[in-house]
Amino acid sequence: MKRNFKNKLAGVSVAAAVAVSSLGFAGYTNLTEAKDKKKQPTNVIMMVMDGTSVGATSLARWYKGENLAMDEIVIGGVRTHSAESAITDSAPAGTALATGNKSNDKIVGLLPKVVNTPGVDPINPEDALKPVANVLEGAKLQGKATGIISTSEIQHATPAGFSSHAAHRSNYQDIAEQQVYQGIDVVLGGGKESLVPGTTKNARVDGENLLNVLNQNGYDFVETRDQLLNSKSNKIWGSFAPTALAYDFDRKQASNSEPSLAEMTNKAINTLSKDKEGFFLFVEGSKVDWAAHANDTIGMISDVLAFDDAVKEALEFAKKDGNTMVIAVSDHGNSGITMGNQNTNGNYSEIPVSTYIDPLKKASMTVEGALKQLKADRSNMKEVAELYGLDNLTAEEIEALKASKTLQADMVKMLANRANIGFTTGGHTGEDVFLYAYGPSKPYGLIDNTDIAKTMAKFMGFDLKKTTDKLFVNARESFENKGYTTRIDVTDKNNPVFIAEKQNIKIEIPVNKNVAHVTQNKKTSTKTLDGVTVYNGKDFYVSENALNLSN
């Protein structure tokens, strides 16, 4: 196995070097610094590998046989707890990374209702579930180009945290609509079903076909790798699957039409960097988390390496540009994966790397990908098991798999045992995660996940609290203070509308959109707002400029 683990800290500030050394990273790191060209615009590329414990990145490095691109920029650690728990869900984790505010389980882009974690500041009960601005919204107000990328549905919790506001992460209807009306320049990932009406789980129930909206707003809507790479547009919406994209190993094996995460990242950077005001780009490698939940070692390795390839693309741009901040981090741990399990208690110090890695190298697909090849009668069980690296099974083992009612769990356990891999859980974990960062004004040391949002906002030249004040005022209170009578029309429960009336003026503001309809002297016009309108089930929140629509 090739080994290329570099052992020097090149060009690192004393403070950063101390921070890295104190976290035990020094033996793996070759940090190079961007030369700040003291120019505008500033760019930020924020990258999240969802649900990735440090054990997963260590294993992926051994599997690859050489340094990861991330190893060059590891510079600290991140605390991941939520407002109510030491172990966070992706929704409050994404909210913290995007807005600088802790929140509760399943909540996206809103303040929490419950705060009981030591060290987290309490909130005024009146502010519970109030929307708070994210860094993408702040960047957009600065005139920057914006983009989000995900290998899951683009409406999934973490990309949702950087682009929307919802009381529950499963509200794909609201999240998808807000993402479309945010006017994000480049959106790439899965989740096409949430853009159109239909009968599938997350298809739209409000009657709106968001593909028509995208077309009206000038997007090049693409659905394959070739269409994406050939697009010349400055506004691209890529939906490459009805739900999530394939794991990277499975994508390669099946030769499907989906782009890799690195290809999506490269295309987004090349497109967004044309903007003279700079850009903000969010990138998520989503399915490491899903593999970790399933204890699928191969799925975790597959998509850690795919994410690392995307980091390489971001770093190549940042090094040339000189004024781009790149941050890569996991939002939380998952599965407690370890090299070593109960079978290695007594002789762990004598076990060579090959004992862990060689069994894993036999797999060509993840367990998800392999099981998609399984026939209904399981007559090809032997061949499917071999796709997952389970070769040389006895006839009894094959028959046991054919009869299994927990086939996926049995297969991942068999491979993990062969490779001496351990797992503590099928859920999230609460340990600190690595912080990877590059470029001017980058964060370093052991920090809180909320610090990342604040660091990005400061680098891009705005304050998140002031942005929140501009984008999210309580509609009822604000309009009533101006002499309007107000109500929330829920005649159509899927399309609530805030209505404010005074004398000959009627203002109608639909949920999840960036528009308001103003009727004055019997003439109706549609006005564009600075941001999307959010309804948290109790109150409507609208952009500050909505208060002056009748002028």
Side-chain angles (χ1 to χ4, degrees):
M1 177 182 294
K2 179 180 177 182
R3 297 193 65 190
N4 186 29
F5 298 156
K6 301 172 185 178
N7 295 297
K8 56 185 178 179
L9 287 166
V12 186
S13 68
V14 172
V18 170
V20 172
S21 296
S22 69
L23 292 166
F25 300 157
Y28 295 93
T29 310
N30 176 29
L31 292 172
T32 55
E33 293 297 300
K35 295 179 180 179
D36 190 348
K37 297 180 180 179
K38 304 296 183 185
K39 68 178 180 67
Q40 295 295 330
T42 54
N43 310 306
V44 171
I45 304 173
M46 174 63 192
M47 312 185 74
V48 174
M49 47 180 171
D50 199 290
T52 306
S53 296
V54 295
T57 51
S58 298
L59 183 62
R61 184 188 301 109
W62 283 116
Y63 183 97
K64 182 180 180 182
E66 58 183 291
N67 278 351
L68 302 175
M70 292 182 285
D71 292 341
E72 182 184 356
I73 59 168
V74 64
I75 200 163
V78 180
R79 296 185 292 264
T80 63
H81 57 274
S82 72
E84 63 182 325
S85 178
I87 302 176
T88 188
D89 170 62
S90 287
T95 297
L97 292 168
T99 74
N101 292 277
K102 298 285 188 182
S103 197
N104 293 149
D105 186 43
K106 306 299 185 290
I107 292 176
V108 174
L110 309 176
L111 290 176
K113 293 190 292 184
V114 178
V115 178
N116 57 29
T117 300
V120 178
D121 293 334
I123 66 161
N124 188 323
E126 294 180 0
D127 289 333
L129 298 185
K130 177 183 177 181
V132 280
N134 58 59
V135 288
L136 182 144
E137 290 169 324
K140 187 168 178 58
L141 287 178
Q142 294 288 102
K144 294 181 182 294
T146 56
I148 56 173
I149 298 172
S150 178
T151 54
S152 66
E153 298 92 339
I154 205 70
Q155 304 86 15
H156 213 255
T158 314
F162 282 82
S163 56
S164 65
H165 310 269
H168 199 286
R169 58 179 288 178
S170 66
N171 292 348
Y172 279 24
Q173 305 287 315
D174 294 343
I175 292 167
E177 190 172 21
Q178 288 181 37
Q179 288 174 333
V180 168
Y181 281 91
Q182 285 279 19
I184 305 167
D185 297 282
V186 177
V187 178
L188 307 174
K192 182 183 177 182
E193 72 171 353
S194 295
L195 300 176
V196 294
T199 58
T200 54
K201 177 183 176 182
N202 290 312
R204 301 207 64 73
V205 297
D206 63 359
E208 185 172 23
N209 187 328
L210 293 176
L211 294 186
N212 293 337
V213 179
L214 293 175
N215 183 58
Q216 292 164 8
N217 290 337
Y219 284 89
D220 185 6
F221 186 81
V222 298
E223 297 185 76
T224 68
R225 173 184 181 271
D226 288 345
Q227 289 174 355
L228 173 66
L229 299 184
N230 291 327
S231 177
K232 306 298 183 184
S233 177
N234 291 331
K235 297 182 70 175
I236 307 172
W237 194 293
S239 284
F240 306 107
T243 55
L245 306 190
Y247 285 100
D248 201 59
F249 280 8
D250 301 340
R251 178 189 64 83
K252 293 174 181 176
Q253 186 74 7
S255 299
N256 67 22
S257 62
E258 297 172 4
S260 69
L261 185 60
E263 288 171 332
M264 290 190 286
T265 301
N266 177 273
K267 182 66 175 182
I269 291 172
N270 288 340
T271 302
L272 298 174
S273 60
K274 297 174 186 177
D275 193 295
K276 64 180 181 180
E277 300 297 330
F279 68 88
F280 170 81
L281 173 63
F282 168 78
V283 179
E284 183 192 38
S286 318
K287 292 181 68 172
V288 183
D289 179 73
W290 300 14
H293 278 299
N295 288 178
D296 176 10
T297 310
I298 300 302
M300 297 171 77
I301 292 171
S302 162
D303 281 30
V304 168
L305 294 178
F307 179 84
D308 192 60
D309 288 342
V311 171
K312 182 179 178 182
E313 294 288 342
L315 285 176
E316 286 181 357
F317 173 82
K319 289 176 180 179
K320 293 176 183 177
D321 176 72
N323 213 30
T324 295
M325 176 189 291
V326 177
I327 297 174
V329 70
S330 175
D331 56 347
H332 54 75
N334 192 341
S335 80
I337 185 172
T338 56
M339 295 178 68
N341 56 23
Q342 296 298 323
N343 298 327
T344 61
N345 279 344
N347 65 333
Y348 54 83
S349 60
E350 302 170 0
I351 299 174
V353 173
S354 59
T355 301
Y356 302 99
I357 301 303
D358 287 355
L360 303 177
K361 288 281 190 177
K362 294 180 180 180
S364 59
M365 302 187 82
T366 72
V367 71
E368 176 182 288
L371 288 176
K372 285 182 178 179
Q373 315 304 314
L374 186 64
K375 296 179 180 178
D377 62 1
R378 298 192 180 183
S379 59
N380 64 333
M381 188 72 251
K382 179 177 182 293
E383 293 76 14
V384 167
E386 289 174 349
L387 289 174
Y388 191 59
L390 297 172
D391 61 348
N392 300 319
L393 292 177
T394 65
E396 291 77 11
E397 288 173 324
I398 293 172
E399 290 304 313
L401 288 177
K402 285 182 178 180
S404 174
K405 295 181 179 180
T406 55
L407 180 57
Q408 176 175 299
D410 290 343
M411 288 177 65
V412 298
K413 188 178 295 183
M414 288 177 71
L415 185 61
N417 286 337
R418 287 188 177 194
N420 297 290
I421 302 299
F423 294 94
T424 63
T425 178
H428 294 181
T429 51
E431 76 275 16
D432 299 339
V433 296
F434 285 167
L435 169 66
Y436 306 91
Y438 176 86
S441 303
K442 66 182 179 297
Y444 62 83
L446 181 59
I447 62 174
D448 194 82
N449 54 7
T450 56
D451 294 328
I452 292 176
K454 297 167 187 174
T455 298
M456 292 188 292
K458 183 177 180 181
F459 181 61
M460 289 187 285
F462 60 88
D463 178 89
L464 282 163
K465 186 179 184 305
K466 291 180 180 178
T467 304
T468 294
D469 293 342
K470 183 178 179 67
L471 291 180
F472 302 113
V473 299
N474 185 296
R476 179 184 58 80
E477 292 178 358
S478 300
F479 275 100
E480 289 182 359
N481 286 340
K482 293 172 72 70
Y484 287 83
T485 59
T486 69
R487 59 190 171 92
I488 297 174
D489 184 351
V490 291
T491 305
D492 181 350
K493 66 178 182 179
N494 296 314
N495 293 287
V497 179
F498 176 83
I499 298 175
E501 296 177 283
K502 181 173 65 173
Q503 298 173 346
N504 64 337
I505 302 170
K506 181 179 182 180
I507 299 174
E508 298 173 279
I509 307 178
V511 71
N512 300 325
K513 296 178 169 62
N514 67 335
V515 298
H517 307 296
V518 182
T519 302
Q520 192 167 6
N521 298 322
K522 299 182 179 181
K523 293 182 179 180
T524 301
S525 60
T526 298
K527 308 290 187 180
T528 300
L529 305 180
D530 287 333
V532 294
T533 295
V534 176
Y535 178 48
N536 63 6
K538 175 188 174 187
D539 293 310
F540 262 72
Y541 289 86
V542 300
S543 300
E544 190 176 46
N545 70 324
L547 304 180
N548 301 311
L549 291 176
S550 63
N551 293 342

